[in-house]
């Protein structure tokens, strides 16, 4: 059983890596090249807001599924998995409208700010914060 859990954690990691590796083939994101380069020297790209919204939600859902898979089979605690889904969902609900506004206003608030908000939407950054917290919590529980 323990081997199966580790295989599922590994599958979740491969899933997250695949989302990143194939991002230009899977998702509509005209800002991939814009943010890879020197965005002050690059012209703001034309984009379709509806397609961008659908693509961001789809990407978030994939990252959420793979992140939940990792958390569930790494810690085997449904309560922690549900809390992590809730935390990632709240993060998305907070940052998504900000990012859409930044795109709509052509990043008037600033490129670096927009870039940072975008990272929280398209990358599983919350997972990198949650795993050490849960690991520490598990170690504390085992000491008692």
């Amino acid at each position: 059983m323990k081997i199966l859990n580790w295989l599922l954690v590994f599958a979740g990691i491969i899933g997250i890596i695949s989302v990143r590796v194939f991002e230009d083939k899977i998702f509509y994101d005209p800002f991939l090249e814009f943010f890879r380069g020197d965005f002050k020297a690059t012209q703001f790209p034309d984009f379709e807001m509806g397609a961008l919204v659908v693509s961001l939600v789809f990407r978030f859902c994939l990252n959420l599924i793979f992140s939940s898979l990792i958390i569930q089979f790494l810690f085997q605690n449904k309560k922690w998995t549900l809390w992590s889904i809730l935390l990632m969902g709240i993060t998305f609900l907070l940052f998504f409208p900000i990012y859409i506004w930044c795109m709509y206003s052509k990043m008037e608030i600033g490129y670096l700010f927009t870039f940072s908000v975008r990272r929280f939407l398209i990358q599983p950054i919350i997972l990198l914060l949650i795993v050490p917290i849960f690991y520490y919590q598990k170690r504390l529980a085992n000491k008692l």
Side-chain angles (χ1 to χ4, degrees):
M1 186 67 174
K2 201 167 196 166
I3 292 173
L4 179 62
N5 287 338
W6 282 110
L7 286 173
L8 290 168
V9 168
F10 184 69
I13 293 169
I14 294 300
I16 286 174
I17 292 170
S18 296
V19 167
R20 174 71 177 186
V21 168
F22 300 112
E23 67 187 355
D24 54 339
K25 293 172 182 63
I26 300 172
F27 309 107
Y28 169 77
D29 193 349
F31 297 98
L32 284 173
E33 288 303 316
F34 180 77
F35 282 117
R36 281 186 187 140
D38 179 15
F39 27 85
K40 292 181 182 176
T42 308
Q43 184 177 354
F44 189 82
D46 291 328
F47 67 98
E48 152 80 54
M49 183 64 81
L52 183 64
V53 167
V54 169
S55 183
L56 285 170
V57 170
F58 178 57
R59 185 169 183 163
F60 169 77
C61 288
L62 285 177
N63 281 327
L64 180 66
I65 289 166
F66 293 129
S67 297
S68 300
L69 186 74
I70 291 168
I71 291 168
Q72 177 58 41
F73 291 102
L74 190 60
F75 299 106
Q76 298 176 359
N77 187 323
K78 288 181 183 177
K79 185 177 177 183
W80 288 359
T81 303
L82 292 174
W83 272 110
S84 64
I85 290 169
L86 181 66
L87 181 61
M88 288 183 253
I90 289 170
T91 303
F92 183 80
L93 291 174
L94 288 173
F95 284 105
F96 185 70
I98 295 169
Y99 182 70
I100 295 302
W101 180 80
C102 288
M103 294 298 100
Y104 182 76
S105 68
K106 296 189 177 185
M107 298 184 218
E108 286 179 3
I109 199 164
Y111 295 109
L112 188 57
F113 176 79
T114 304
F115 177 78
S116 300
V117 169
R118 181 176 183 270
R119 283 283 163 231
F120 275 96
L121 294 175
I122 68 168
Q123 302 297 334
I125 293 173
I126 300 298
L127 178 67
L128 296 175
L129 301 172
I130 290 173
V131 168
I133 291 169
F134 286 163
Y135 178 75
Y136 180 72
Q137 186 68 29
K138 187 175 182 177
R139 292 217 20 157
L140 281 179
N142 288 341
K143 284 185 178 182
L144 297 177

